[in-house]
Amino acid sequence: MQHKTVERQAIILLSSLRSVLRGVMISAIKRRENLIRKGILSKILTFDYCRDYDLIVKNLYDNDYVSSVDGLVNIFDYYRSKVYVVNDEASPVFHIPNKEFIGVEKFRGKDDRVFYHSSEGVVVNYLREDGTPYLSARVVDKENKFLWEKIISIELLSNDGKNVVECFKSTREFWAYFIRELAEDKETHVFQDASFYDKQLQTDIFYKIYESNNVYNYRVAHGATQVNMSQPLSKPIHSWIETLENPCDALIFLTDEQRYSWFFLSQNLNLVTIPHEVEVSTCIDKDRPFSYRFITVTTLSKLKRVDHAIRAFAAVVDEYPNAVLDIYGQGPLEEELKLLIDDLSMGNNIFLKGYSLKAWSLFENYDCSLITSERETFSMPIIESFSYGCPVISYDIPYGPRSMIINGYNGYLAQSGDIKKLQGKILEIIEQTKINTMRENAHKTAMKYSSDIVGDKIIDLMFQSEFKGNK
């Protein structure tokens, strides 16, 4: 599609960036980088309270996730460093009587946040490097440190902390103000990659948070968008109900299967499929010898069922004692999984390798990767594995695995939860004689998700939205 010459910008909304990257963060970062390469100003805005953002962003840059640290903006960092010009009519900070000091949090040896009890809840003052407050929030309780719900009021303060620059009655008001400040006067495309359902407001704080004549809103379905995925007529989860009643410019799904399930819910929505993207290795060694090395890249949590991979692989080792499974990731079940490996006497074959920021680059060293989750909206490790010509064995689960894996072509699907059948598929890939063909097919599959192809789909969606908006 030919695109008219228009100045565009993309604003990607994420709850947070963390040193341990998850699929949502990785996909948002890749989308931003892709759009920048295509000449579109793109920013990622984050909204959690994290004092290590400078280190996190530097780490992303040092590990080649981002080409520039500009445009990765956290709301607290932004207002901590903002310089105001306050006029003579500015309101002084409201004095709250009978405040009772609770405590102070420090960061790098300096006071960072101060907490007080008051008759109206807890007052939290957020401090600049020089100790002056730049933001003051009244919340229901001290545990509400992210300003996500139970807000009474939020005040942005002048540089000396003595005057109120802006006052907000909800988190949504505050976040919308921040987005408006960062948005430039261009055709603006807002990608909602984060969701937070505010029970107090009965709404998703992020949903269509920024609206104007030249603003287009897209919601990205990173998670399960229905209560019971096995029933096509099931209701969407709470934070998606308003999508039916107040449609945005497009709902972006990662697979056709998930998108089709929404056809039953509403005919008034613009439903599109735009998958995650991957940088595809330019060449693979499809004829390399089979090494009996397997890999799992995942979070060590109950949802991912890593114990299934361990148990299935332990049975494989009984027949192939030189087989190795490396598990990359971290999570709450790490100690439990270590004990399981010990109990199965698999210390010489199954290894917990910890988290790696560059796990995506490891797949070229393995014969096959394993996915054992209960569900995967997409599953970045599948296309990352394919990009290096590494076939994938996965449980047959919605939505990503069954959308990308073709039995015997680029990997295998096993019945979900059946450890014996998972074991059988691992043995099948060891014993079959066409691994070089499967490697080549996996690489071909990854090409469908290349940055160029996915990037063009995003650009086309943006152009179509502008065309509809200008009709």
Side-chain angles (χ1 to χ4, degrees):
M1 178 179 289
Q2 295 294 316
H3 302 149
K4 61 181 179 179
T5 302
V6 171
E7 282 198 280
R8 300 180 180 88
Q9 65 179 334
I11 294 178
I12 299 169
L13 307 181
L14 275 179
S15 297
S16 63
L17 283 175
R18 285 286 181 257
S19 55
V20 176
L21 292 180
R22 307 298 187 203
V24 175
M25 301 179 203
I26 293 172
S27 65
I29 290 169
K30 285 180 178 292
R31 191 188 315 130
R32 172 182 178 262
E33 290 296 304
N34 199 346
L35 291 172
I36 289 173
R37 286 194 296 269
K38 292 181 178 295
I40 295 177
L41 176 68
S42 302
K43 301 172 183 176
I44 292 179
L45 308 187
T46 60
F47 299 81
D48 69 324
Y49 183 76
C50 175
R51 288 296 269 116
D52 284 327
Y53 258 92
D54 55 342
L55 298 179
I56 292 171
V57 171
K58 181 179 183 300
N59 201 24
L60 291 173
Y61 178 77
D62 291 344
N63 284 277
D64 301 322
Y65 273 92
V66 297
S67 56
S68 168
V69 300
D70 295 332
L72 301 175
V73 188
N74 174 260
I75 190 169
F76 290 97
D77 283 1
Y78 178 77
Y79 287 113
R80 185 184 298 111
S81 59
K82 185 175 174 64
V83 177
Y84 294 99
V85 177
V86 181
N87 59 44
D88 294 334
E89 297 179 359
S91 302
V93 172
F94 177 69
H95 175 68
I96 300 175
N98 302 319
K99 286 193 304 185
E100 179 185 346
F101 177 75
I102 298 176
V104 62
E105 286 184 0
K106 293 182 177 290
F107 178 74
R108 296 174 185 170
K110 295 184 178 181
D111 290 355
D112 192 53
R113 291 193 299 174
V114 185
F115 298 85
Y116 302 91
H117 269 308
S118 77
S119 59
E120 296 186 9
V122 175
V123 178
V124 188
N125 284 343
Y126 294 74
L127 309 181
R128 295 186 178 88
E129 295 292 330
D130 62 4
T132 59
Y134 66 91
L135 185 150
S136 183
R138 278 182 282 173
V139 299
V140 173
D141 56 67
K142 182 177 181 292
E143 297 306 313
N144 182 239
K145 58 184 178 181
F146 293 134
L147 298 187
W148 278 7
E149 58 183 348
K150 301 180 181 178
I151 285 294
I152 299 171
S153 68
I154 302 169
E155 295 174 343
L156 286 175
L157 307 180
S158 57
N159 295 95
D160 59 8
K162 296 179 179 179
N163 292 291
V164 176
V165 177
E166 294 287 344
C167 183
F168 312 94
K169 296 300 182 183
S170 71
T171 303
R172 183 176 171 90
E173 282 185 20
F174 177 39
W175 289 0
Y177 178 84
F178 168 58
I179 295 168
R180 286 196 300 273
E181 286 215 301
L182 270 292
E184 300 186 19
D185 187 19
K186 295 178 171 66
E187 297 287 313
T188 301
H189 298 262
V190 180
F191 293 85
Q192 181 194 339
D193 286 77
S195 290
F196 187 82
Y197 188 70
D198 189 321
K199 297 177 183 176
Q200 185 178 354
L201 295 176
Q202 295 290 297
T203 187
D204 183 338
I205 291 178
F206 287 105
Y207 186 63
K208 297 179 72 171
I209 191 170
Y210 180 36
E211 294 188 90
S212 186
N213 289 335
N214 64 334
V215 175
Y216 310 93
N217 283 276
Y218 314 108
R219 192 166 194 180
V220 186
H222 286 288
T225 53
Q226 293 180 319
V227 174
N228 185 347
M229 293 183 297
S230 66
Q231 297 179 12
L233 295 178
S234 61
K235 297 279 183 149
I237 58 176
H238 284 299
S239 63
W240 280 69
I241 290 175
E242 61 198 305
T243 305
L244 302 174
E245 301 166 350
N246 181 23
C248 55
D249 291 277
L251 294 182
I252 300 175
F253 295 94
L254 307 180
T255 66
D256 285 335
E257 181 185 0
Q258 190 176 21
R259 178 169 64 93
Y260 293 156
S261 71
W262 271 71
F263 286 145
F264 296 98
L265 294 169
S266 175
Q267 303 298 317
N268 300 321
L269 303 175
N270 182 21
L271 310 178
V272 299
T273 300
I274 301 179
H276 291 329
E277 61 193 75
V278 68
E279 295 294 330
V280 183
S281 177
T282 53
C283 61
I284 61 168
D285 183 8
K286 66 181 179 64
D287 296 318
R288 65 186 184 274
F290 196 85
S291 64
Y292 299 90
R293 299 187 70 208
F294 291 72
I295 183 174
T296 293
V297 178
T298 189
T299 306
L300 307 184
S301 64
K302 183 178 178 181
L303 179 68
K304 302 300 183 179
R305 298 191 290 197
V306 182
D307 61 308
H308 287 215
I310 292 172
R311 293 182 189 279
F313 204 80
V316 170
V317 171
D318 289 341
E319 298 187 44
Y320 294 90
N322 60 334
V324 169
L325 171 63
D326 288 334
I327 301 170
Y328 286 87
Q330 64 183 41
L333 298 186
E334 184 171 350
E335 291 302 318
E336 183 178 318
L337 295 173
K338 284 181 181 177
L339 291 175
L340 176 60
I341 292 170
D342 290 341
D343 289 345
L344 296 173
S345 300
M346 284 290 112
N348 293 324
N349 298 87
I350 302 177
F351 303 92
L352 296 179
K353 307 288 282 186
Y355 175 76
S356 171
L357 193 59
K358 285 194 170 183
W360 50 268
S361 66
L362 300 171
F363 290 104
E364 64 178 334
N365 302 314
Y366 293 87
D367 297 309
C368 182
S369 61
L370 306 179
I371 304 288
T372 52
S373 307
E374 291 181 10
R375 62 180 182 272
E376 289 284 354
T377 308
F378 188 74
S379 187
M380 287 291 294
I382 293 178
I383 56 170
E384 290 170 341
S385 184
F386 283 168
S387 73
Y388 285 98
C390 181
V392 179
I393 296 173
S394 172
Y395 278 149
D396 187 3
I397 52 175
Y399 294 102
R402 66 169 61 138
S403 298
M404 292 182 276
I405 299 171
I406 302 172
N407 262 317
Y409 177 78
N410 54 16
Y412 291 103
L413 293 170
Q415 183 176 330
S416 180
D418 192 324
I419 295 175
K420 189 72 175 175
K421 289 189 175 172
L422 178 64
Q423 171 199 341
K425 293 300 182 183
I426 297 173
L427 290 171
E428 193 169 342
I429 207 166
I430 290 175
E431 295 167 356
Q432 60 89 31
T433 58
K434 297 182 179 179
I435 187 64
N436 56 341
T437 302
M438 291 187 75
R439 288 168 176 162
E440 191 172 23
N441 293 338
H443 190 252
K444 287 179 181 177
T445 304
M447 296 299 293
K448 299 176 183 178
Y449 302 91
S450 70
S451 296
D452 279 344
I453 291 176
V454 175
D456 286 344
K457 290 182 178 181
I458 297 171
I459 298 295
D460 283 346
L461 173 63
M462 295 166 74
F463 178 74
Q464 290 164 8
S465 297
E466 291 171 12
F467 179 76
K468 290 177 182 177
N470 292 326
K471 288 182 70 175

